[in-house]
Amino acid sequence: MILTSQCLLVHDGTFAAVGPSGDITGERGRLPHGLFARDARHLSRWQLTVDGSTPTVLAPATSKGAEATAVLTPPASRVEAPALTVFREQRIAGGALTERIRVTSNSGTPGTALIALTADADFADQFELRGDHRWYEKPHAVRTRTVRPDGVEFGYRRSAWHSRTVVSARPEPDAVEETGSGARRLCWRLQLPPHGSAELLLRVEAHPHGVPEPAAEAEDVFPPAAAEALDVPAGWPLLADACARGLADLAGLRVAATGPDGEALRVPAAGAPWYLTLLGRHAAVTSLFTLPERPGPAAATLLALAAAQATGEDADRLAQPGKIVHEVRHGELAYFQQVPYGRYFGSVDSTPLFLMLLGAHAEATGDDKLAHRLERHARAAVEWMFQYGGLADHGYLLYQADQGGLANQSWKDSTGAICHADGTPVRGVIRGAAAQGYAYDALRRTAGLARTVWGDTAYAGRLDDAATALQRRFLADFWLPEQDFPALALDATGRRADALGSDAGHLLWTGILDQRHAEIVGRRLLGPEFFSGWGVRTLAAGQEAYHPLSYHRGSVWPHDSAIAALGLARYGLHEEAARLVRGLLDLAARSESRMPEVIAGYARDEHPEPVPHPDAHWPQAWSAASPFALLTAVSRQP
């Protein structure tokens, strides 16, 4: 299902992207090679040669979460079989890449093997590697290479910014050679007994700038759990496996964060390779999905988002008092404010999602301590929705393109994703449909907290009244009578964007539709123009704007479909929910029970196997968490 020869190893905020042989080549672009920590590449070359030649791959590197193995031989032929075999075992743990290289002789006589590893660290920021041809000035930056008895240390300094990468080996290398390019070559001459082996143990430690103390005391928000520990209803044999695989992927996506009082936390990162960091929307959705079975991620996410909540205005970062952060970055370019993403608030929906999660956490756990502790943050978030988000003056949450950041600030954030049926993008001020559903649910849930936890019935009444008025406005302004379906968005003039999109499933999830409209929407989502057989298309087929390989205008995203499944179950459309869940589980079964990030929108009856999307990556948190949303959906069946 994944269109790449890259192998990804991920664990606790550090990841390595290697090629089929286990090498790191320094590639840039869509799938960069390297060892990455806190948005920086700490190893840009890691290339093995045997007796001066690049070995042939017998078994390519295959990832098992944080580990990978590959089997190599020197170039050989049918006439002359290879004299030795190389086994590479790589692992990410404790912020380091460790590798065990075992060289095994295939000969009955003693021999030697010259093993060399060429290593380098360019300390490139992830934003430099994205293939968008942007160039960032780095005045007075200095790179260093220091030979050590057991390896080499690479350093990088720019003003107060300082990062290191330490490469060490056992046994110590016989030599560390210069290459003329800044890289260093570590060399060993290994003695091989007849049919015997020799081993090298290597460790590459990343020491990023400003790295906090390891969160050793932080709660493990995704502890290992056997599939049989989950209460899966009968008749869903694929669901337990998908949940177990999802937990394994989520365990690798934990990243360090801090709470309002500086407490150490581990929260779900959005995904690798580009988003191994805290993203407000992704962390909230992931935590909402897993909340019934694993409440730990929700609590950690709420505390981390509260700690990063904006307290003032900053136009460059789109920060406003009470707004919940969209993205947190720790890299060099963010540190020197060459990109706005150190703390970036370019999201219209992170704030209501924070409130939804807070209310859902109190309801699911029966524990109101967190709701008490975060009352001030919740009230500030509500105030942002009214005073800055647009609810008070315009009746809806709204946004407009950020010239230095994101054009669209909902989950469909690609340029042109919010469009009319003919493909024309909605421009200027945008009132997205899904965000209004989130606002409605946030108001309802926060009203519940005000009434039952904070003891403020007047505030609860104000929020309930606002939610009722928002629902009434929404049904009047967004409904397309000729399509009998909600519009994707409204523009600044109130004109409806008539593209039919999967955002309608989010309206079901959040409860903003009445029963009559919900039943119309729910059944339409399982019609042939939306349902591909694997999931719900982001844009219905048959429209001029539809494209099955478009990122947000025709592809199928499992997390988006899982939201729709929850919404169908909410309104009692259990037959439709079950059909959607079965399609998604069949999709996961094609990828060893792993839910992909996104697939093409081609129909299953025309293409009996899922067609991968060229820009899909894994692991992704909300895809990994989607089976838990499906579990909730089927558990609601009568």
Side-chain angles (χ1 to χ4, degrees):
M1 286 296 301
I2 301 169
L3 291 178
T4 175
S5 59
Q6 184 191 73
C7 178
L8 208 60
L9 294 73
V10 187
H11 184 70
D12 270 359
T14 303
F15 75 92
V18 304
S21 68
D23 278 356
I24 291 170
T25 64
E27 283 186 31
R28 295 173 173 247
R30 189 170 64 89
L31 295 171
H33 275 202
L35 172 67
F36 292 85
R38 288 174 69 86
D39 301 324
R41 183 158 69 179
H42 279 261
L43 194 63
S44 53
R45 285 187 70 186
W46 189 248
Q47 293 176 284
L48 176 71
T49 60
V50 179
D51 293 329
S53 298
T54 300
T56 299
V57 178
L58 286 186
T62 303
S63 173
K64 296 179 180 177
E67 301 177 355
T69 58
V71 182
L72 318 172
T73 65
S77 65
R78 290 185 180 182
V79 176
E80 186 176 356
L84 53 87
T85 304
V86 179
F87 300 87
R88 300 184 77 172
E89 301 173 3
Q90 297 172 319
R91 183 170 183 260
I92 294 291
L97 169 68
T98 59
E99 178 162 352
R100 175 175 177 249
I101 298 176
R102 180 162 51 92
V103 183
T104 299
S105 171
N106 299 322
S107 171
T109 59
T112 61
L114 178 61
I115 304 297
L117 263 172
T118 301
D120 199 4
D122 62 4
F123 299 98
D125 191 288
Q126 279 200 332
F127 287 95
E128 297 178 83
L129 302 175
R130 295 195 175 196
D132 56 7
H133 306 295
R134 296 187 185 185
W135 181 80
Y136 298 92
E137 188 173 348
K138 295 185 170 186
H140 312 300
V142 177
R143 290 175 58 193
T144 59
R145 297 96 177 164
T146 304
V147 174
R148 299 156 43 107
D150 61 349
V152 61
E153 178 175 319
F154 300 95
Y156 178 82
R157 185 178 293 278
R158 175 185 169 193
S159 185
W161 182 272
H162 183 215
S163 295
R164 297 183 300 128
T165 300
V166 178
V167 179
S168 58
R170 296 200 318 266
E172 296 177 358
D174 297 322
V176 178
E177 301 174 347
E178 295 191 13
T179 64
S181 65
R184 294 295 185 265
R185 184 182 297 113
L186 286 69
C187 304
W188 298 262
R189 184 169 294 281
L190 301 181
Q191 303 297 319
L192 299 176
H195 296 297
S197 299
E199 288 187 354
L200 300 175
L201 299 176
L202 299 116
R203 181 177 177 85
V204 184
E205 295 179 356
H207 296 273
H209 175 82
V211 66
E213 290 299 314
E217 301 304 319
E219 179 188 2
D220 189 351
V221 295
F222 288 110
E228 57 267 20
L230 301 172
D231 185 15
V232 178
W236 298 96
L238 300 177
L239 187 50
D241 290 343
C243 287
R245 170 66 78 169
L247 276 178
D249 283 346
L250 288 167
L253 288 172
R254 300 165 300 183
V255 293
T258 55
D261 296 327
E263 64 270 42
L265 303 167
R266 286 179 177 174
V267 297
W274 297 117
Y275 297 102
L276 199 63
T277 189
L278 175 63
L279 268 67
R281 176 192 305 124
H282 293 69
V285 170
T286 297
S287 299
L288 281 162
F289 282 179
T290 58
L291 177 58
E293 297 287 338
R294 296 289 186 275
T301 293
L302 286 165
L303 290 169
L305 294 181
Q309 185 177 34
T311 57
E313 293 192 54
D314 184 337
D316 291 338
R317 298 184 296 131
L318 302 188
Q320 296 159 332
K323 197 174 187 183
I324 295 298
V325 73
H326 168 61
E327 183 172 353
V328 177
R329 290 289 181 177
H330 304 284
E332 174 189 359
L333 298 181
Y335 177 87
F336 288 103
Q337 299 183 12
Q338 292 175 276
V339 296
Y341 302 111
R343 278 193 186 177
Y344 181 61
F345 294 83
S347 166
V348 73
D349 50 11
S350 291
T351 305
L353 283 165
F354 168 79
L355 293 168
M356 289 169 58
L357 182 59
L358 184 62
H361 178 270
E363 180 180 347
T365 64
D367 186 346
D368 60 11
K369 290 192 292 293
L370 193 59
H372 272 299
R373 181 180 177 188
L374 299 183
E375 178 182 356
R376 175 175 60 86
H377 300 86
R379 288 179 181 264
V382 170
E383 192 66 11
W384 175 85
M385 290 202 300
F386 281 104
Q387 300 304 321
Y388 295 93
L391 276 184
D393 293 336
H394 304 279
Y396 295 110
L397 291 185
L398 49 83
Y399 67 90
Q400 53 188 331
D402 177 17
Q403 298 304 314
L406 295 171
N408 281 306
Q409 293 169 29
S410 60
W411 88 263
K412 293 180 178 177
D413 59 3
S414 59
T415 302
I418 308 302
C419 64
H420 297 275
D422 64 0
T424 304
V426 180
R427 303 188 188 281
V429 175
I430 298 174
R431 301 162 174 86
Q436 314 318 320
Y438 301 152
Y440 173 81
D441 197 16
L443 291 170
R444 290 291 192 210
R445 290 186 184 274
T446 310
L449 292 177
R451 186 174 293 109
T452 62
V453 179
W454 304 334
D456 192 340
T457 56
Y459 189 59
R462 176 196 166 199
L463 299 189
D464 272 332
D465 289 346
T468 299
L470 174 58
Q471 183 181 44
R472 187 181 305 117
R473 281 194 306 274
F474 182 85
L475 292 173
D477 295 343
F478 274 78
W479 197 259
L480 296 164
E482 65 280 6
Q483 298 284 2
D484 217 17
F485 203 78
L488 192 59
L490 304 180
D491 67 11
T493 69
R495 178 191 175 198
R496 301 179 180 110
D498 58 352
L500 307 185
S502 63
D503 302 60
H506 298 235
L507 305 178
L508 296 176
W509 182 43
T510 53
I512 196 172
L513 300 178
D514 59 27
Q515 187 68 30
R516 183 179 72 84
H517 289 91
E519 290 180 4
I520 293 170
V521 166
R523 295 189 175 106
R524 188 74 175 273
L525 289 176
L526 270 294
E529 72 267 50
F530 269 112
F531 185 54
S532 73
W534 306 110
V536 176
R537 296 183 179 96
T538 45
L539 209 65
Q543 303 175 93
E544 190 175 345
Y546 168 75
H547 189 307
L549 288 171
S550 171
Y551 206 50
H552 291 128
R553 282 168 44 168
S555 58
V556 172
W557 290 67
H559 91 276
D560 184 38
S561 295
I563 283 174
L566 288 170
L568 291 165
R570 175 176 188 149
Y571 284 94
L573 298 170
H574 298 297
E575 181 179 336
E576 289 81 2
R579 186 178 171 210
L580 178 52
V581 170
R582 287 192 181 94
L584 288 165
L585 291 175
D586 286 347
L587 171 62
R590 299 315 199 270
S591 299
E592 298 180 333
S593 300
R594 175 178 284 122
M595 204 69 76
E597 179 193 21
V598 55
I599 63 168
Y602 295 108
R604 184 174 182 175
D605 56 5
E606 296 177 1
H607 302 275
E609 292 297 319
V611 177
H613 193 282
D615 292 316
H617 302 300
W618 73 267
Q620 296 289 309
W622 57 16
S623 294
S626 291
F628 289 90
L630 305 184
L631 176 59
T632 300
V634 301
S635 297
R636 292 177 179 173
Q637 291 185 340

